[in-house]
Amino acid sequence: MIEVKDVHKTFKHNNILKGIDLNIKAGEVIVIIGPSGSGKTTFLRCLNFLERADEGTIVIDNKSINLKKATKKEVLEVRKKTAFVFQNYNLFNNKTVIENVMLGLTVGRKVPKKEAEELAKSALDKVGLSDKYNVYPNTLSGGQQQRVGIARAIVLNPEIILFDEPTSALDPERVGEVLSVIKKLADEGVTMVIVTHELSFAQDVASRIIFIDGGVIVEEGTPKEIFISPKEDRTKQFLKRILPYDSYNI
């Protein structure tokens, strides 16, 4: 469904991405793991033009778009087919929950207000927030705010949802409620790319694991291939530091 080719990105003199290729099939859940500073979030942001890549292309619906030279129209075309869930929610505190979810429809896609409201209610119901339509984000827990962020993404009915470490800003006891919503979307066949440090969740939800380090894809495979029998030494080193000793065979 989506093909990404040769993505490069440098900040000042720091070469963050060094040529990443990735194919994403419809219904696939790709989980990107790796150490902090490896380029995971930068790569995700380049896919949605939150950052401009220095080089690379994205092919979506058989149309190839240059990530560096894309026109405003091409950027909008990609953003209509993708949705981004931020690690820090990015909600408008002066708008109610339902107004936050409606915004992408009424402003971004010119959907009539009444229709947008019904779609927003349905999305909020889906993430378990049917009793929070008219409250403001600052009255919600972090987990609830992130579920609003997910509702804001799914209401757009995108071809793919991009998640940037969706639980990293949450208290540990709130992580599960967000992960359960994402797992439900995965079970429904929603195409997703997820950057996360939650490796047990990655094992449970991913179709494919991508391990990035130093701005390149070091290794990729099924959860079993990556977590049970990784091939690359760098992958083994990374997993040894963060997984219980008896959870892998390396």
Side-chain angles (χ1 to χ4, degrees):
M1 184 180 72
I2 296 173
E3 185 177 4
V4 185
K5 301 177 183 177
D6 199 29
V7 181
H8 291 255
K9 179 64 180 179
T10 299
F11 291 105
K12 295 184 179 179
H13 301 295
N14 191 4
N15 195 358
I16 303 297
L17 301 177
K18 302 174 184 176
I20 291 185
D21 301 323
L22 183 63
N23 292 325
I24 307 162
K25 298 177 182 177
E28 218 177 3
V29 179
I30 294 178
V31 176
I32 301 177
I33 63 172
S36 297
S38 59
K40 307 183 302 295
T41 289
T42 299
F43 174 65
L44 206 66
R45 291 174 66 87
C46 285
L47 298 187
N48 201 42
F49 291 99
L50 294 170
E51 298 285 354
R52 278 275 183 169
D54 299 323
E55 190 177 335
T57 58
I58 182 169
V59 181
I60 185 165
D61 289 345
N62 297 316
K63 180 176 181 178
S64 180
I65 296 173
N66 187 302
L67 290 172
K68 180 181 180 180
K69 300 177 181 179
T71 64
K72 185 176 180 180
K73 181 181 177 182
E74 288 174 327
V75 169
L76 290 174
E77 285 178 8
V78 171
R79 287 182 174 168
K80 282 181 178 179
K81 296 170 183 176
T82 62
F84 202 99
V85 177
F86 298 86
Q87 57 182 291
N88 291 316
Y89 326 135
N90 281 28
L91 303 177
F92 294 98
N93 285 322
N94 63 334
K95 295 184 180 297
T96 64
V97 163
I98 197 165
E99 287 171 341
N100 268 277
V101 177
M102 289 170 60
L103 205 58
L105 295 172
T106 55
V107 175
R109 301 192 178 179
K110 310 302 179 186
V111 175
K113 185 177 179 180
K114 188 169 183 59
E115 180 183 349
E117 185 175 352
E118 291 306 310
L119 291 169
K121 286 179 179 178
S122 178
L124 287 165
D125 293 348
K126 195 168 189 175
V127 300
L129 293 174
S130 55
D131 59 338
K132 302 294 184 183
Y133 296 160
N134 297 311
V135 305
Y136 287 88
N138 59 9
T139 69
L140 301 177
S141 70
Q144 289 170 327
Q145 290 188 62
Q146 190 58 292
R147 283 189 279 153
V148 175
I150 295 172
R152 183 178 55 188
I154 63 178
V155 78
L156 299 173
N157 194 29
E159 293 186 16
I160 183 169
I161 302 178
L162 309 173
F163 290 84
D164 179 21
E165 299 191 18
T167 61
S168 65
L170 301 180
D171 293 333
E173 57 189 23
R174 297 293 182 181
V175 169
E177 67 188 69
V178 172
L179 295 183
S180 66
V181 170
I182 299 173
K183 178 67 164 62
K184 182 179 177 182
L185 295 176
D187 291 341
E188 292 174 358
V190 176
T191 308
M192 295 182 277
V193 177
I194 306 167
V195 169
T196 186
H197 291 292
E198 300 284 344
L199 297 192
S200 60
F201 170 69
Q203 287 177 289
D204 187 38
V205 77
S207 312
R208 187 156 37 115
I209 303 285
I210 308 291
F211 174 56
I212 291 181
D213 189 33
V216 299
I217 293 178
V218 175
E219 187 168 358
E220 64 179 281
T222 65
K224 184 176 180 180
E225 289 168 340
I226 297 300
F227 290 115
I228 304 300
S229 54
K231 296 181 176 65
E232 300 296 327
D233 287 343
R234 181 64 189 98
T235 313
K236 295 175 184 179
Q237 291 167 5
F238 174 74
L239 294 175
K240 278 183 176 179
R241 289 182 185 149
I242 54 181
L243 289 178
Y245 179 77
D246 60 356
S247 65
Y248 50 83
N249 181 28
I250 58 179

